[in-house]
């Protein structure tokens, strides 16, 4: 990824609320030589255990969950608005059913030599898992959250991962 430069977390100027909630991200991991990705619009960036971390949530039926469970590291890729249609497609089709990465025409590369990410991204986070836990219905304090977001009882798994690298696309 020679068109990317590494920055420190403290140098990040973009809002995580906009990056994740509005622009979305791709969660990408590798298992048994195969790469899978999913679009996500829930998660965050912050500090936990004196480490810069990202947190993401993945529902049990998502194919990408198998990949994230399998590996120690995964990536979060963020894109310019021009890629919104591709991210929408990648979030609506399962990698179980088709080679959606090839269909999206995005390019998988390995910025740290082992963790898959996307060359077209404007920013990539390489993260290492520190924690995971399934959401449990008894932990929710507001019943309306369960009713609205979990009518099928398909509770997310929360992953907290240390940010090992933040790679920003260099201006040409």
């Amino acid at each position: 990824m020679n068109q990317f430069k590494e920055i420190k977390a403290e140098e990040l100027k973009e809002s995580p609320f906009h990056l994740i909630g509005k622009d979305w991200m791709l969660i990408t991991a590798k298992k048994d030589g195969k790469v899978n990705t999913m679009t996500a619009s829930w998660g965050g960036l912050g500090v936990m255990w004196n480490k810069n971390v990202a947190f993401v949530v993945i529902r049990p039926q998502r194919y990408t969950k198998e990949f994230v469970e399998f590996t120690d590291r995964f990536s979060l890729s963020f894109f310019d608005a021009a890629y919104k249609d591709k991210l929408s497609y990648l979030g609506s089709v399962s990698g179980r059913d088709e080679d959606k990465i090839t269909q999206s025409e995005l390019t998988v590369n390995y910025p740290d030599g082992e963790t898959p990410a996307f060359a077209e991204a404007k920013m990539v986070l390489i993260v290492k898992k520190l924690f995971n836990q399934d959401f449990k219905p008894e932990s929710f304090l507001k019943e309306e959250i369960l009713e609205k977001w979990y009518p099928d009882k398909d509770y997310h798994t929360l992953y907290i991962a240390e940010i090992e690298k933040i790679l920003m696309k260099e201006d040409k």
Side-chain angles (χ1 to χ4, degrees):
M1 292 182 72
N2 56 2
Q3 77 266 29
F4 285 80
K5 68 175 180 175
E6 187 170 351
I7 67 166
K8 295 178 181 172
E10 297 78 15
E11 297 175 275
L12 184 61
K13 301 213 183 327
E14 296 198 49
S15 163
F17 300 99
H18 191 85
L19 284 170
I20 299 167
K22 302 291 183 204
D23 290 345
W24 309 337
M25 63 183 163
L26 291 178
I27 302 171
T28 309
K30 185 175 182 179
K31 175 185 171 191
D32 297 333
K34 183 174 178 174
V35 174
N36 199 57
T37 193
M38 65 174 270
T39 303
S41 62
W42 289 3
L45 305 176
V47 179
M48 189 74 181
W49 307 301
N50 289 330
K51 298 178 183 294
N52 295 320
V53 298
F55 72 87
V56 298
V57 291
I58 304 176
R59 289 191 192 264
Q61 65 266 37
R62 296 301 299 260
Y63 187 44
T64 302
K65 187 176 189 303
E66 295 176 27
F67 289 71
V68 171
E69 284 289 324
F70 178 81
T71 187
D72 288 336
R73 288 177 177 81
F74 59 94
S75 71
L76 305 176
S77 297
F78 300 87
F79 295 81
D80 289 325
Y83 289 91
K84 193 76 169 214
D85 286 346
K86 291 182 187 292
L87 271 65
S88 182
Y89 165 75
L90 289 166
S92 63
V93 174
S94 175
R96 284 187 192 99
D97 302 328
E98 64 182 73
D99 185 352
K100 67 182 187 175
I101 294 174
T102 298
Q103 291 294 106
S104 75
E105 300 178 340
L106 293 178
T107 309
V108 174
N109 60 12
Y110 297 84
D112 66 349
E114 64 179 89
T115 309
F118 292 96
E120 295 83 359
K122 66 179 179 180
M123 181 174 72
V124 172
L125 277 58
I126 303 296
V127 300
K128 182 177 181 179
K129 291 187 304 188
L130 299 173
F131 176 89
N132 68 280
Q133 184 172 2
D134 295 338
F135 285 2
K136 295 179 177 21
E138 61 271 15
S139 297
F140 287 84
L141 303 177
K142 300 289 184 183
E143 184 69 29
E144 60 264 23
I145 294 173
L146 288 171
E147 292 168 3
K148 180 175 184 177
W149 298 107
Y150 300 102
D152 297 329
K153 302 191 181 342
D154 56 343
Y155 306 107
H156 286 95
T157 298
L158 167 68
Y159 297 90
I160 300 175
E162 181 177 6
I163 300 170
E164 294 188 317
K165 290 185 182 190
I166 299 176
L167 303 166
M168 297 292 293
K169 184 156 279 180
E170 292 188 284
D171 296 328
K172 294 182 182 183

